[in-house]
Amino acid sequence: MNKMFAVGAALLVSGMFTPDVSTATEPGVTITGDGRARVIYKDKYDFGNSDKDAASYADSRARFVVTGTAAGGAYAKGRLRLGDTKMDGAADPANDNNIWVDYAYIGVPIGPTVVEAGKIKSNITKFLQWDQSVARVSVDWGIDKYHLIGLVDTLSEGQVSDVEIDQIEDNDWMMYGLVAKGEFSENCFAQLNVAYFDDQRDEFATGKYVEDRSGVVTSVYMRGLLMDFNLETELAFKEAGFINSSMEADGDSAADPVNTDPDDGWGWYGQVEYPMGNFTPALNIGLSTNNFAVDNDFGWIMTGNGNNEPIAVFDQLGAEGDWFWIAPSVTYDVSEQLRLVGNFVWVNIDGNDNVAVDDKRLAKLMEISGSLTYVISKGADFTWKAGYLLPDFDGRLDGAGVEDDGAFGTYARLEIKF
């Protein structure tokens, strides 16, 4: 952990170039949060390739965000999650999901700089990285609408490793990042994200090859308004060494580590929306190449966005091979209380040619999905979503007994926010 504190201290000193201090604020504690209950139904999620019956279940949770603020403006924030499990008839005190915390950190304003440290939710972009808990020290220096943010993450700490050599040598896996963002006009926002992952863990100490997850990850994100069109785009890059290293397919000890795909991974998407009163059509086009896995907060109802959608068939886009998608959607605000959304998603997948001929390899996906959201009262709403996903397997499997039934999922949710 000494590396994280050394770099964090350097970032802290760099943020203290101004003698200004924060103005006094009213000290105290505030509590906000949310809660939900859902009923979920899923059928043919293996596309009919087993004898599994359709499954239905219910789950619920409550979350409380506690923020404590000191007189000088420094703060501590944490989120407590209660009963975040399927409804199984009883709450088990021994269950890790019964009571747990997904972030808890402190923040100290120093003039135009804010230093944060602890377990933090990383929200870079929804395409690259979003809603992921990380051990982080960050320094956010901002003036007006412009921010420069330095990040240091500890992904694996050698001092608590199960591998003896990593403990002795303090072999950590670290991330060093920089985010620069700002609004260049009322109609234009841009953000540059650059990160380097430094994996010092011993690759062979466990008797098996351990992936060396070192490499560069970067992206450029922009959104803005052109005439009456809302535009959004992001271009992202992941170095091959970061995403594609693996051991031999037979899993032998330390023999011959290989890179299944020596090429770097790229991802891109562009989205355009055109509001027309209560009616808003949109189009999203994108691609991911060479196993570039898009974050699981990006996507729709059945394809991608698995962090938010319990009926997603594929949690992430681009997890294997090359993906290309076209996804038109329509949003219709029937009233201030009722919103309808319809999606059509078409995905072409060029899978890994190294897999066995009889391996199930998807070639195309087609999703038709929709949602209804009704605001019951301020801070409380009801949502119903449903989707149908039709697969198309690689032509090599024609006549090989592979089923390609469509998957169907639906769920209803009651949610409150306070």
Side-chain angles (χ1 to χ4, degrees):
M1 186 63 77
N2 57 329
K3 298 176 185 177
M4 182 175 183
F5 279 119
V7 177
L11 289 172
L12 176 59
V13 171
S14 70
M16 296 177 63
F17 60 87
T18 173
D20 296 339
V21 295
S22 302
T23 58
T25 58
E26 187 69 24
V29 176
T30 61
I31 299 177
T32 59
D34 61 76
R36 75 179 183 202
R38 304 183 301 194
V39 178
I40 300 159
Y41 175 88
K42 299 193 291 187
D43 187 27
K44 298 293 177 61
Y45 270 48
D46 58 355
F47 307 123
N49 287 286
S50 75
D51 295 327
K52 291 182 179 180
D53 293 330
S56 61
Y57 64 92
D59 65 13
S60 64
R61 74 175 184 205
R63 304 188 299 189
F64 297 88
V65 178
V66 181
T67 304
T69 306
Y75 56 89
K77 181 178 288 189
R79 185 163 69 182
L80 183 68
R81 304 171 70 121
L82 307 177
D84 196 351
T85 60
K86 293 181 180 179
M87 295 181 182
D88 59 359
D92 182 0
N95 191 317
D96 291 339
N97 289 334
N98 191 46
I99 301 176
W100 59 290
V101 174
D102 60 348
Y103 62 77
Y105 60 94
I106 63 170
V108 181
I110 309 171
T113 305
V114 177
V115 180
E116 293 184 337
K119 187 177 183 180
I120 297 174
K121 280 292 186 179
S122 181
N123 293 326
I124 306 299
T125 68
K126 290 188 176 182
F127 191 72
L128 187 65
Q129 185 182 84
W130 197 262
D131 197 24
Q132 296 186 18
S133 295
V134 296
R136 169 171 292 176
V137 174
S138 72
V139 176
D140 184 341
W141 177 76
I143 294 181
D144 195 20
K145 297 180 180 180
Y146 301 92
H147 289 261
L148 187 63
I149 307 169
L151 308 173
V152 180
D153 294 357
T154 299
L155 303 172
S156 178
E157 172 53 60
Q159 292 299 302
V160 296
S161 174
D162 293 331
V163 180
E164 184 178 5
I165 189 63
D166 286 342
Q167 287 190 26
I168 295 172
E169 299 180 355
D170 192 20
N171 293 329
D172 300 331
W173 181 22
M174 307 290 294
M175 188 281 287
Y176 307 97
L178 186 68
V179 176
K181 60 183 180 180
E183 294 184 22
F184 296 93
S185 70
E186 292 183 357
N187 299 327
C188 181
F189 173 86
Q191 179 173 324
L192 172 65
N193 313 296
V194 180
Y196 177 69
F197 291 80
D198 181 19
D199 190 353
Q200 297 295 322
R201 295 172 298 177
D202 191 285
E203 297 176 23
F204 300 100
T206 63
K208 290 186 176 182
Y209 175 67
V210 179
E211 295 178 335
D212 179 0
R213 300 296 303 280
S214 295
V216 174
V217 175
T218 184
S219 79
V220 178
Y221 168 82
M222 295 185 67
R223 70 170 183 265
L225 182 65
L226 179 62
M227 300 175 64
D228 291 327
F229 292 91
N230 294 317
L231 305 176
E232 183 176 306
T233 187
E234 184 167 0
L235 176 65
F237 166 86
K238 294 181 181 179
E239 194 172 353
F242 174 71
I243 58 174
N244 292 320
S245 296
S246 69
M247 61 183 173
E248 285 281 16
D250 59 10
D252 284 345
S253 60
D256 303 323
V258 298
N259 197 326
T260 58
D261 190 334
D263 296 323
D264 300 323
W266 290 88
W268 170 84
Y269 80 94
Q271 179 168 299
V272 56
E273 293 182 349
Y274 185 66
M276 303 166 58
N278 294 348
F279 180 77
T280 304
L283 177 65
N284 187 296
I285 299 176
L287 58 87
S288 65
T289 66
N290 300 320
N291 302 337
F292 179 101
V294 178
D295 188 87
N296 62 356
D297 268 80
F298 183 94
W300 296 270
I301 294 177
M302 307 286 281
T303 310
N305 201 16
N307 186 47
N308 302 301
E309 296 298 343
I311 60 172
V313 181
F314 298 96
D315 286 349
Q316 293 178 275
L317 286 80
E320 181 178 332
D322 301 335
W323 291 45
F324 171 76
W325 62 86
I326 300 176
S329 62
V330 175
T331 300
Y332 180 52
D333 291 317
V334 180
S335 66
E336 292 183 356
Q337 292 180 286
L338 179 61
R339 166 172 288 187
L340 305 177
V341 178
N343 307 302
F344 175 81
V345 183
W346 180 86
V347 183
N348 185 78
I349 303 173
D350 185 4
N352 187 346
D353 289 330
N354 296 326
V355 298
V357 173
D358 59 350
D359 187 80
K360 289 185 291 186
R361 189 175 81 168
L362 284 166
K364 293 180 178 63
L365 305 173
M366 184 179 69
E367 170 187 336
I368 301 174
S369 61
S371 67
L372 175 154
T373 300
Y374 179 76
V375 178
I376 301 171
S377 61
K378 189 174 182 179
D381 59 57
F382 168 80
T383 298
W384 172 73
K385 295 188 180 184
Y388 178 80
L389 188 142
L390 183 66
D392 180 7
F393 286 100
D394 193 299
R396 300 176 306 168
L397 294 171
D398 289 346
V402 175
E403 301 294 336
D404 58 359
D405 296 341
F408 173 76
T410 184
Y411 73 98
R413 179 185 70 206
L414 280 171
E415 186 172 34
I416 66 166
K417 296 179 181 180
F418 55 91

